[in-house]
Amino acid sequence: MSRKVTDKGVAAKQKAAAGRSVRHSHIIVLGSGFSGMGLAVRLIQQGRKDFLVLERGSDVGGTWRDNTYPGAACDVPSHLYSYSFELNPGWSRSFSKQAEIQAYIQGVADKYSVRDRHIFDCDVQSARWNGETSQWEIETTQGAFTADFVVSAVGALCEPNLPNIKGIEDFAGDIFHSARWDHEANLDGKKVAVIGTGASAIQIVPSIAGEVEHLDVYQRTAPWLLPRMDRAYTGIEKWAFKNIPGFQRLSRSAIYAARETQVVGLAKAPILMKGFEAIARAKLFAEIRDAELRAKVTPNFRIGCKRMLISNEYYPALDRDNVDVVTDPIVEVTEKSIITGDGTEREIDAIIVATGFHVTDSPMYEHIVGADGSTMAEQFDRIGQQGYKGAAIENFPNMFFMLGPNVGLGHTSMVFMIESQINYIADALKVVDRQQLGTVSVKPEAVRAYNAELHKKLEGAVWSTGGCASWYLDKHGNNTTLWPDFTFRFREITKNFDADAYTTTKAS
Ligand code: N01
């Protein structure tokens, strides 16, 4: 499996980088997905030239560059899932496919010439705070860098979470993770297994079910599915989005408002989620007539506890004659088969691993070393994964985070949260310049107070009370990923940088 998920070029790049001098930039942004690139655009708009973006891939786009699996598409409507400063009247559908979103991101990069500030194919290996120089020391596959300020925009859904299954390394056929799709693997007429039934799997399964000879879908937990209200925009609609002043913004606001109403059920009164459950049950009944299969794929937790999925094609795909849903747990993978707990061995030619990402346990945390010499992973183990407004973590001075702790969402556009964070961090960097600050470090008491409030709101939310296990929770069962309130509240608290919550020193 490792052949598909590791960067074979890393060692070669490191060798080539050895001996190069250390490069310095006032600000270094790590990662260029929707968040890192959005921040880069803002910094350019502010007239800054004192920053660099280090990106491990060969282009901008992050998760939308990497997730090229068949059927990859967004489950947030296009007009909301885009930057507010760069609306796109030309979206072809109400829910865009991966290629169109990636083309949009690339178009924004072109328009604002952000690639000029990027170093691509630059995989960050470690970042260490040097208290004597008040700088970050960053090791990459393209050599060493120093920065006065670092913004980590590495994303939460980027490190494939590979299942630890006996024998999986010995599988002789094609095997790859959903986010590292092997486009050279030919699945036509093959016997294929998909492990996982999350947001990625439910898009992959219907896209390949008609091509493969046989498909086994290995389900650990049945997800809730709602209808996908997707359709192509007509020429008249596209004309109206482009030419009628305010029409596109109005449409975007309507989508935003409708989605925001879900917060009431998700975060405040989970009992209200029963309404969504009724819709999902009716859908399940209408789309799967086989009672045995229906029982297998009926979820056993409150809807919303895990991310609610949308698809009109997944259930019909499961209902096909050449598709089986397997609920017995996988105990072993051999060279050519998967063996489940009931002793059944199913022969296969290929395995698609759609098992999600390291979210609360990102490997990156082991390679960022803070002011007291501990890694971020060690600190999270010790005091929990706590941040301040998702943008700062104590003991990590002069480091800001895009999509840090408790900024995630399940119900609406992450781009809204990203833009809130861009406001906050760009303002912080302005304050640093204006006040000539050398160091900025969030106060532990500010972090405690912020998290106490946050966790009070999370207590009754469906993500903790809904009876499921999900990647929203860390290994201690704490929700360290989601924002538990209306997103406009997050926008309010991130409007301006609040220097009072930070200990600052003047630049020498
Ligand atoms: O990953 P997941 P994903 N053995 O973690 C199962 C975003 N996204 O890539 O539920 C067997 O959701 C696991 O089972 P269980 C979106 O935010 C967005 O699908 O843990 N099975 C689950 O079924 C989403 O939430 C879009 O019991 C194992 C599946 O694998 C996030 O990405 C599209 C296993 C993992 O599901 C991740 O989605 C796609 C094991 N050892 C994705 N380990 C948009 O449209 C895990 N599983 C915006």
Side-chain angles (χ1 to χ4, degrees):
M1 165 173 297
S2 54
R3 69 183 184 274
K4 302 281 166 36
V5 294
T6 57
D7 182 356
K8 281 186 201 153
V10 167
K13 286 176 194 164
Q14 272 171 334
K15 207 169 154 197
R20 272 191 216 153
S21 59
V22 176
R23 283 169 279 183
H24 180 78
S25 176
H26 180 47
I27 303 162
I28 286 186
V29 180
L30 311 180
S32 190
F34 245 118
S35 62
M37 200 192 79
L39 179 65
V41 170
R42 177 68 66 85
L43 297 181
I44 286 171
Q45 286 172 328
Q46 288 179 345
R48 300 194 85 117
K49 292 202 165 69
D50 53 356
F51 76 95
L52 281 177
V53 184
L54 309 184
E55 165 55 53
R56 73 176 168 185
S58 303
D59 198 0
V60 296
T63 187
W64 292 105
R65 180 200 58 219
D66 291 345
N67 280 270
T68 57
Y69 60 76
C74 191
D75 52 16
V76 175
S78 319
H79 283 292
L80 190 57
Y81 198 81
S82 41
Y83 296 118
S84 64
F85 60 85
E86 202 56 53
L87 298 190
N88 173 19
W91 290 119
S92 64
R93 313 188 60 79
S94 49
F95 288 81
S96 302
K97 297 196 159 114
Q98 173 268 338
E100 193 170 1
I101 299 172
Q102 177 61 1
Y104 164 80
I105 298 172
Q106 288 170 322
V108 177
D110 292 342
K111 180 168 172 184
Y112 293 90
S113 304
V114 291
R115 288 192 186 85
D116 295 352
R117 306 301 321 156
H118 280 62
I119 300 181
F120 289 108
D121 302 309
C122 181
D123 196 352
V124 173
Q125 315 276 278
S126 67
R128 175 178 286 274
W129 174 249
N130 183 334
E132 281 174 21
T133 58
S134 295
Q135 283 181 344
W136 281 95
E137 295 170 351
I138 301 165
E139 293 295 332
T140 79
T141 49
Q142 295 216 33
F145 293 80
T146 55
D148 303 314
F149 288 85
V150 167
V151 182
S152 168
V154 297
L157 301 170
C158 56
E159 297 294 344
N161 174 27
L162 305 173
N164 185 13
I165 300 172
K166 184 179 164 199
I168 198 162
E169 292 293 332
D170 301 329
F171 183 66
D174 287 310
I175 174 165
F176 46 89
H177 188 270
S178 53
R180 302 286 183 273
W181 194 269
D182 182 352
H183 290 278
E184 275 163 27
N186 181 8
L187 302 178
D188 284 8
K190 299 277 172 63
K191 293 195 275 291
V192 178
V194 171
I195 305 180
T197 53
S200 302
I202 64 128
Q203 295 181 334
I204 293 167
V205 166
S207 305
I208 63 170
E211 288 166 27
V212 301
E213 182 197 316
H214 186 84
L215 183 62
D216 290 322
V217 179
Y218 286 85
Q219 170 191 284
R220 196 164 66 173
T221 311
W224 282 108
L225 252 70
L226 290 167
R228 186 176 178 88
M229 312 293 209
D230 186 22
R231 64 179 182 83
Y233 283 123
T234 62
I236 293 174
E237 282 172 305
K238 283 193 247 178
W239 179 89
F241 287 134
K242 190 165 177 201
N243 295 301
I244 300 179
F247 180 60
Q248 193 178 5
R249 283 217 186 261
L250 189 68
S251 155
R252 182 178 160 99
S253 303
I255 299 167
Y256 173 79
R259 295 229 148 201
E260 210 61 2
T261 59
Q262 290 184 22
V263 175
V264 180
L266 291 168
K268 298 174 193 298
I271 192 81
L272 298 177
M273 297 308 288
K274 282 195 166 188
F276 286 102
E277 254 176 53
I279 298 169
R281 277 184 205 284
K283 177 181 171 63
L284 177 56
F285 193 81
E287 292 178 2
I288 298 189
R289 304 304 302 167
D290 173 1
E292 197 185 322
L293 176 60
R294 208 186 307 138
K296 262 189 189 175
V297 298
T298 300
N300 59 1
F301 56 89
R302 174 60 38 86
I303 194 169
C305 183
K306 282 171 175 290
R307 189 185 173 103
M308 289 185 277
L309 308 182
I310 53 170
S311 173
N312 300 334
E313 294 158 349
Y314 180 65
Y315 286 148
L318 297 186
D319 220 5
R320 292 173 62 101
D321 290 342
N322 69 332
V323 179
D324 284 334
V325 177
V326 183
T327 52
D328 287 302
I330 300 173
V331 290
E332 188 177 349
V333 174
T334 72
E335 269 188 22
K336 54 181 179 46
S337 67
I338 291 183
I339 302 171
T340 46
D342 60 348
T344 308
E345 178 168 7
R346 293 176 178 84
E347 285 210 358
I348 37 159
D349 304 307
I351 302 178
I352 295 158
V353 183
T355 47
F357 301 88
H358 286 284
V359 180
T360 57
D361 58 345
S362 168
M364 186 74 182
Y365 299 158
E366 287 162 32
H367 304 289
I368 303 182
V369 182
D372 71 358
S374 18
T375 63
M376 198 170 277
E378 287 163 348
Q379 174 163 317
F380 286 165
D381 253 3
R382 204 169 54 239
I383 62 168
Q385 195 162 336
Q386 300 182 26
Y388 181 70
K389 300 188 177 179
I393 293 174
E394 66 190 272
N395 189 39
F396 292 84
N398 292 19
M399 181 174 262
F400 292 106
F401 296 83
M402 299 286 305
L403 308 182
N406 293 100
V407 177
L409 303 171
H411 69 288
T412 189
S413 174
M414 277 308 295
V415 184
F416 185 89
M417 300 301 268
I418 285 169
E419 288 197 44
S420 303
Q421 291 212 283
I422 291 174
N423 291 343
Y424 186 77
I425 295 170
D427 192 45
L429 294 168
K430 275 210 243 173
V431 171
V432 163
D433 286 356
R434 206 166 46 234
Q435 300 186 8
Q436 299 189 330
L437 300 178
T439 62
V440 175
S441 191
V442 69
K443 291 175 183 164
E445 58 271 29
V447 179
R448 299 289 166 274
Y450 179 77
N451 279 273
E453 176 89 359
L454 204 67
H455 287 280
K456 209 159 67 194
K457 287 184 184 161
L458 280 165
E459 252 167 38
V462 70
W463 311 297
S464 310
T465 61
C468 76
S470 77
W471 58 259
Y472 294 153
L473 311 181
D474 69 7
K475 63 181 178 190
H476 308 292
N478 296 320
N479 189 329
T480 56
T481 53
L482 291 182
W483 170 248
D485 207 335
F486 297 106
T487 58
F488 54 79
R489 296 242 163 92
F490 189 73
R491 179 61 59 95
E492 277 161 24
I493 64 164
T494 49
K495 210 166 159 199
N496 297 303
F497 179 62
D498 45 351
D500 294 354
Y502 293 76
T503 304
T504 58
T505 61
K506 288 279 179 193
S508 56

